[in-house]
Amino acid sequence: MRKMFLLLSISFILSACAASQPLIKPTSSGYPEGIFRNTSIDRISSKIMDGCTSNGLIIYEATSNQVVCGKTMSGMEAVLGQLVVGNSYSTTPERKVRFSIFQQGNDVKVVAHEWMESQMAFGQIRRQPLGANHQKNSLQQFLFSLGAE
């Protein structure tokens, strides 16, 4: 009961914080996205991987149409993440981002999805989407920093 109350309290606090910040770029998908003009998927994929590693993230997966990068959470973020997706027997949560990359004519479109995950004691992975406005804005700023419109 105590854990449930704590989770509800944390969810309420996080929801209140998320609602207070407007999105810097509302999109039709609801996720951060960007258009890179007159380029190729390979070039944008490389830019994303370079941006991830430059920001201290690990590349977990890179295919022709997606890049997944992330980082193990630490400090209070890890404690809160552990409460949301794990338990005392699970791994420290990781924050991950999947960049879906696809060609649109001469341009390349990228859509970003962020989540946290933890592996439980018997190997199952628990995931929780991250979609607060400040998190979306941070990803949107990342895409802008790479040259997206």
Side-chain angles (χ1 to χ4, degrees), residues 68-115:
V68 178
C69 57
K71 185 176 186 177
T72 301
M73 298 167 108
S74 61
M76 189 52 113
E77 183 183 48
V79 171
L80 294 174
Q82 193 94 29
L83 288 171
V84 174
V85 296
N87 58 36
S88 59
Y89 303 108
S90 59
T91 61
T92 303
E94 294 178 326
R95 188 179 200 133
K96 292 187 175 182
V97 181
R98 172 177 289 111
F99 296 95
S100 300
I101 310 161
F102 49 97
Q103 198 77 44
Q104 287 188 324
N106 292 330
D107 305 329
V108 173
K109 185 171 184 175
V110 177
V111 179
H113 300 87
E114 187 174 25
W115 72 94

Side-chain angles (χ1 to χ4, degrees), residues 29-140:
S29 69
Y31 297 102
E33 51 183 63
I35 301 287
F36 295 84
R37 301 287 178 199
N38 299 312
T39 191
S40 68
I41 289 176
D42 290 339
R43 180 172 289 209
I44 298 309
S45 180
S46 292
K47 273 189 166 189
I48 291 169
M49 287 188 286
D50 182 50
C52 286
T53 57
S54 296
N55 284 291
L57 303 177
I58 297 167
I59 306 296
Y60 290 103
E61 181 182 345
T63 66
S64 59
N65 289 90
Q66 75 175 8
V67 173
V68 178
C69 57
K71 185 176 186 177
T72 301
M73 298 167 108
S74 61
M76 189 52 113
E77 183 183 48
V79 171
L80 294 174
Q82 193 94 29
L83 288 171
V84 174
V85 296
N87 58 36
S88 59
Y89 303 108
S90 59
T91 61
T92 303
E94 294 178 326
R95 188 179 200 133
K96 292 187 175 182
V97 181
R98 172 177 289 111
F99 296 95
S100 300
I101 310 161
F102 49 97
Q103 198 77 44
Q104 287 188 324
N106 292 330
D107 305 329
V108 173
K109 185 171 184 175
V110 177
V111 179
H113 300 87
E114 187 174 25
W115 72 94
M116 68 175 147
E117 69 181 33
S118 182
Q119 185 172 358
M120 306 304 284
F122 294 106
Q124 66 270 40
I125 303 291
R126 291 188 62 193
R127 292 183 176 95
Q128 176 67 39
L130 299 174
N133 285 0
H134 71 279
Q135 293 159 334
K136 289 180 180 181
N137 285 342
S138 179
L139 275 175
Q140 191 66 59

